[in-house]
Amino acid sequence: MPSDIRVRIAPSPTGPLHIGTARTALFNYLFARRVGGTFILRLEDTDVARSTAAFERDILDGLHWLGITWDEGPGVAGLEEAGPYAPYRQMLRLDSYAAAAERLLADDAAYRCYCTAEELDADRREREAAKLPPAYSGRCANLTPGERAAREAEGRTAAVRFRVRKGVVGWNDLVRDRVEIDTANLGGDFVIVRGDGTPLYHFTVVVDDAAMQISHVIRGEEHVSNTPKHILLFEALGYEVPVFAHLPLILNPDGSKMSKRKSQTAVADYIAQGFTREALVNYFAFLGWSPGTEEDVMDLATLEQRFELDKVQKGGARFDRERLEWLNGQWIRRLADDDLVARLLPFTEAAAAAGVIDRAPAEDELTALLPMVRERLSTLASITDVVGFLWRGLTPDPATLVPKRWDAATALTGLTAARDVLAAHDPVTWEADELEPPLRALVEARGWKAGDLFMAVRMAVTGQAATPPLFDVLVALGRERALARLDAAIAALAAAA
RNA sequence: GCCCCCAUCGUCUAGAGGCCUAGGACGCCGCCCUUUCAAGGCGGAGAUCACCGGUUCGAAUCCGGUUGGGGGUACCA
């Protein structure tokens, strides 16, 4: 059944998709899906100096990548734009802001302000010196027609200021209950249209939310203090005030508001590092919300059914990368084989292009490796940490070829004996189950510890002390390469002796 | 400075007056499994529920104050 609940995410294309924006988008999306409402995406691009098409692309692509879809706005169903309230880009809606500003001016709910940046600056310094909170002086609030004409004759441009009425503005916030703020603390009449005619955020957000019939404004806590301005504007324009819900912020590990300086904030960076959309969505959803049960791994479809705004936390949540990595491992382990391989391929290809490995493995090669790599991946990119030795050359290092409990001479005899056993092994049965018994027999015959011999062989064929199970590794390497690496290790050890 | 908000293990959280000698998860530490590394299983340390006062037979849960933290204070969004 269709609902008249309408929510939106209104990103500003002044930077790449930020984790905070993604999380707010997710909560709006989940709320809309849960209640059968409509989710809208609107681009707030009125900061022309900082907005770019590339950032816009990054934001839309990033949200889609996460699996978040919207019903109206740019990029719906592959279209440039779709929805009954188009356009969904603020720079294309300038007429409506101008009309709304005219209405406010006509009602004397707003007035033209001719103050220069210098005057405003001086005011601010003066109030600062007097230890007063910054606020507009009201210099242009009651200009006579003559005074106005004089300023215009001077060639001054006029910004439009909204008259802030005295009193208390309050609302019933869906996550923090009743909030009330005295308008005396708003800093005086505020600018809604710049001197150059472009509208400001506080104004456009209200005009658009009203025009697009937004019923619930779900946004970050940083907007709590701005909400009275918005409510005043809704009222002055004669619009119904939407319901507000302010989400807790995502914090840096030190507890401050998440920032690029202290944290990795771009969703694209997480994608590039091999985090899965499932893990990211799962993690974001549980940052500030919980189902009230002891479940902690949950997919998008389930979240859509379970999400509830009143279970949202009030306090900010610190970003915990270790927990994200754990969740990522959980999701990697749950992916179907072909899906995992398809997601791994771009990472091995990128590693090859970057020279981290010499060649990128083929699809079926990766598929065959899955059983031994799957539970060892914390990120998709870590595939090269786990089995990168398969795709790059190896230079034996005599110093690392000797296991802890052995000396160089023992390592040399051990590796030589192991090599001979493996070389004598029937090439047709070069399989993990077949290779293990003869080497175990060798260990038995010589009175060694299996772990020591295996470690020496492991270092010789992989160059790493931590790898997937040795016999799987020998099989993945193939007989020729395994023997060649053993030969090289033996030679290096002999040369060093 | 002023305004607003918040406050349970290091972190994310469960908890909506008696079920709490506060539960789960990440991380950490042991043990098991084991050729290393993971994964998995089992166990452990870790929170006098920020503090102080109330209300109540009874408070992590309600009220007030204090402290601490965060956000906001633009012709940015």
Side-chain angles (χ1 to χ4, degrees):
Chain A
M1 77 191 96
S3 146
D4 53 3
I5 290 183
R6 294 171 58 83
V7 298
R8 48 59 171 186
I9 179 70
S12 175
T14 53
L17 178 61
H18 190 282
I19 274 179
T21 307
R23 208 270 307 239
T24 303
L26 176 65
F27 278 41
N28 272 280
Y29 167 84
L30 294 176
F31 176 71
R33 288 291 169 270
R34 177 65 207 278
V35 302
T38 304
F39 179 43
I40 294 121
L41 183 139
R42 179 177 72 225
L43 288 165
E44 309 221 320
D45 55 358
T46 53
D47 185 348
V48 181
R50 296 192 298 145
S51 294
T52 73
F55 287 144
E56 186 179 312
R57 192 73 262 152
D58 183 81
I59 291 167
L60 264 36
D61 288 350
L63 291 173
H64 277 311
W65 182 86
L66 286 166
I68 297 173
T69 55
W70 45 97
D71 309 300
E72 295 175 21
V76 170
L79 300 172
E80 175 56 26
E81 179 169 88
Y85 298 92
Y88 292 87
R89 282 180 167 75
Q90 294 193 320
M91 284 309 283
L92 264 28
R93 303 178 62 82
L94 296 178
D95 289 353
S96 67
Y97 313 128
E102 282 310 320
R103 271 175 55 209
L104 292 178
L105 248 12
D107 294 348
D108 195 38
Y111 57 87
R112 291 187 202 284
C113 169
Y114 298 89
C115 294
T116 61
E118 292 70 39
E119 287 173 324
L120 260 16
D121 222 45
D123 290 348
R124 189 172 47 72
R125 270 196 294 272
E126 206 172 290
R127 292 192 58 98
E128 205 170 302
K131 291 195 193 293
L132 288 167
Y136 178 58
S137 64
R139 183 167 27 233
C140 298
N142 299 294
L143 294 180
T144 63
E147 290 170 322
R148 259 207 304 277
R151 276 157 229 252
E152 266 162 33
E154 275 179 53
R156 291 198 188 193
T157 56
V160 178
R161 268 184 203 275
F162 178 73
R163 286 188 200 281
V164 173
R165 58 149 235 250
K166 299 265 174 289
V168 170
V169 176
W171 71 96
N172 295 315
D173 197 286
L174 250 31
V175 346
R176 44 206 79 218
D177 305 319
R178 185 74 189 168
V179 181
E180 293 187 335
I181 295 175
D182 192 317
T183 62
N185 299 305
L186 260 32
D189 300 340
F190 58 92
V191 175
I192 56 176
V193 179
R194 293 185 181 89
D196 67 4
T198 56
L200 255 18
Y201 168 74
H202 294 309
F203 187 46
T204 58
V205 73
V206 167
V207 172
D208 286 340
D209 283 343
M212 296 179 182
Q213 303 286 305
I214 300 303
S215 64
H216 292 65
V217 172
I218 304 171
R219 68 214 323 188
E221 187 195 321
E222 72 266 31
H223 288 293
V224 170
S225 310
N226 295 326
T227 303
K229 292 182 182 175
H230 301 167
I231 292 176
L232 254 20
L233 246 9
F234 275 110
E235 289 172 349
L237 256 4
Y239 296 132
E240 195 177 329
V241 178
V243 175
F244 292 97
H246 289 93
L247 308 173
L249 261 22
I250 299 181
L251 274 18
N252 289 312
D254 69 2
S256 55
K257 183 183 178 182
M258 189 165 241
S259 64
K260 205 160 74 175
R261 259 295 17 117
K262 294 174 178 171
S263 304
Q264 179 174 292
T265 58
V267 169
D269 289 341
Y270 288 89
I271 298 175
Q273 283 167 14
F275 285 95
T276 59
R277 62 183 58 106
E278 291 83 353
L280 247 10
V281 162
N282 193 164
Y283 184 70
F284 290 155
F286 279 66
L287 255 194
W289 175 83
S290 102
T293 63
E294 289 183 348
E295 300 156 283
D296 39 35
V297 180
M298 200 174 277
D299 65 20
L300 224 210
T302 308
L303 287 167
E304 287 174 26
Q305 295 172 253
R306 305 277 293 276
F307 184 78
E308 285 174 77
L309 225 32
D310 47 358
K311 280 197 156 69
V312 170
Q313 209 78 11
K314 291 191 183 75
R318 299 174 200 232
F319 192 85
D320 181 356
R321 194 186 165 98
E322 302 214 60
R323 196 179 169 82
L324 206 211
E325 286 185 8
W326 171 78
L327 263 178
N328 204 41
Q330 290 294 317
W331 281 105
I332 284 175
R333 271 165 245 140
R334 284 159 210 239
L335 293 177
D337 281 7
D338 55 347
D339 190 2
L340 215 208
V341 169
R343 298 195 202 204
L344 247 16
L345 246 18
F347 287 90
T348 47
E349 271 153 26
V356 174
I357 51 179
D358 300 334
R359 67 174 183 89
E363 196 174 325
D364 55 349
E365 190 180 353
L366 271 183
T367 303
L369 293 172
L370 248 31
M372 72 164 111
V373 301
R374 172 167 235 135
E375 71 241 25
R376 276 165 254 265
L377 296 173
S378 60
T379 63
L380 298 170
S382 65
I383 179 74
T384 54
D385 296 332
V386 179
V387 284
F389 57 82
L390 291 174
W391 310 309
R392 74 180 150 236
L394 194 61
T395 308
D397 173 5
T400 66
L401 287 168
V402 185
K404 275 197 209 78
R405 284 186 298 253
W406 279 10
D407 55 22
T410 313
L412 184 56
T413 44
L415 284 175
T416 306
R419 193 231 109 97
D420 290 344
V421 167
L422 291 172
H425 191 84
D426 180 357
V428 178
T429 58
W430 189 263
E431 286 159 23
D433 289 352
E434 300 287 338
L435 295 174
E436 186 165 353
L439 276 193
R440 291 240 176 229
L442 172 64
V443 163
E444 188 76 18
R446 302 294 183 102
W448 292 328
K449 283 190 179 296
D452 292 332
L453 205 234
F454 293 176
M455 183 52 84
V457 175
R458 171 179 291 110
M459 288 304 309
V461 301
T462 70
Q464 297 171 197
T467 70
L470 181 60
F471 299 98
D472 293 323
V473 165
L474 289 174
V475 172
L477 231 24
R479 184 173 186 274
E480 300 310 314
R481 281 211 294 165
L483 293 178
R485 287 187 176 190
L486 278 167
D487 285 337
I490 290 164
L493 219 38

